[in-house]
Amino acid sequence: MIDEFRSEMRLLANTVSEVNAKQIRVEREVSSKVSDISMNLEATRRDLNDLKSSSIRNSEKDTSHCPSDVSNLTVLPNGKKYLFSNETRVTWYEAKVLCEMQKLHLASPKTQQDLTTVHRKARELTFVPWWLSASDARSNPGQFFWHDGTSLSTNSLLWSEGEPSDYGQGNEACVWIRSNASDKLEGSKCSSYYHYICELPAACMSHK
């Protein structure tokens, strides 16, 4: 009887060992498939961003998209032209459309020099918040892009301390500057109401 019990125990141990081995194989297969899916999704996102950037660059080369009159724009020391609209506060979405209606785009100061230049002019006009083009709208929370698809890292030195904020949990975050504070970027809900800064597309600078 003892031998029979020992035999059953060995059989049970072998069965448990086989089950554990199968579980490990299944977990590895699932992990591998999840990893493949994640890589494919990331590759798809990159392709979409590249396509968006390429489309915007191509459209900006077409001068038919340039405004016929730029006399209302302000030329700043960086050589670029801007429209500072401080008459009405609007959401980021509305600001984007208002700029595009004038064949402009929301301002994209991608360097500290450009950001300081734009901030200094905004500060001369009035102490109000101003929308810029970067946002994580239509992308993953916390993945910010300028109007042309150029990435704005959350680790960028352009951000104010503690920023970006107000992203995630169903909120789309958009970028702005505070003219009564330092020349750094802030992040807020895109549905907030601020003034906005439009910029003349680069291709139109040589056109006019």
Side-chain angles (χ1 to χ4, degrees):
M1 180 177 292
I2 293 176
D3 290 341
E4 183 179 350
F5 174 74
R6 288 175 176 172
S7 177
E8 290 179 354
M9 290 298 294
R10 283 195 296 271
L11 180 61
L12 179 60
N14 290 335
T15 300
V16 171
S17 178
E18 290 177 0
V19 170
N20 288 337
K22 288 182 179 179
Q23 181 179 355
I24 292 174
R25 286 198 299 273
V26 169
E27 289 176 348
R28 287 176 177 173
E29 290 175 0
V30 170
S31 177
S32 177
K33 289 180 179 179
V34 169
S35 178
D36 290 341
I37 292 173
S38 297
M39 291 176 63
N40 289 334
L41 284 174
E42 185 60 31
T44 300
R45 291 193 192 99
R46 287 197 300 268
D47 290 342
L48 287 173
N49 287 329
D50 289 344
L51 181 61
K52 178 182 177 183
S53 297
S54 176
S55 175
I56 292 175
R57 284 194 298 269
N58 289 334
S59 67
E60 288 188 342
K61 290 178 182 178
D62 183 359
T63 55
S64 66
H65 292 286
C66 297
S68 57
D69 182 12
V70 296
S71 60
N72 62 329
L73 303 184
T74 300
V75 182
L76 296 186
N78 60 0
K80 299 177 181 180
K81 297 182 179 181
Y82 301 89
L83 173 66
F84 292 79
S85 179
N86 61 349
E87 296 179 358
T88 306
R89 292 176 182 252
V90 297
T91 67
W92 180 87
Y93 309 101
E94 293 169 332
K96 180 176 181 293
V97 171
L98 289 168
C99 287
E100 292 173 350
M101 287 175 61
Q102 301 175 77
K103 297 186 178 181
L104 308 172
H105 59 74
L106 278 169
S108 299
K110 303 174 188 176
T111 66
Q112 185 58 60
Q113 180 180 359
D114 279 352
L115 181 55
T116 299
T117 300
V118 170
H119 182 273
R120 183 176 295 122
K121 181 59 180 179
R123 189 180 181 87
E124 289 176 3
L125 295 174
T126 182
F127 288 170
V128 297
W130 304 81
W131 285 126
L132 301 177
S133 79
S135 77
D136 69 354
R138 295 176 295 281
S139 66
N140 288 336
Q143 290 188 339
F144 292 87
F145 296 94
W146 294 103
H147 81 283
D148 60 358
T150 303
S151 176
L152 171 61
S153 171
T154 53
N155 296 322
S156 172
L157 295 178
L158 297 178
W159 291 105
S160 179
E161 185 176 355
E163 296 292 338
S165 60
D166 282 340
Y167 67 85
Q169 300 180 345
N171 297 325
E172 289 184 332
C174 293
V175 177
W176 57 287
I177 55 174
R178 189 193 306 267
S179 57
N180 62 342
S182 64
D183 52 349
K184 294 294 182 180
L185 302 178
E186 310 269 353
S188 291
K189 294 179 182 178
C190 302
S191 57
S192 300
Y193 286 83
Y194 298 153
H195 297 297
Y196 59 96
I197 306 171
C198 301
E199 181 179 343
L200 182 69
C204 299
M205 290 297 296
S206 58
H207 178 61
K208 292 294 178 182

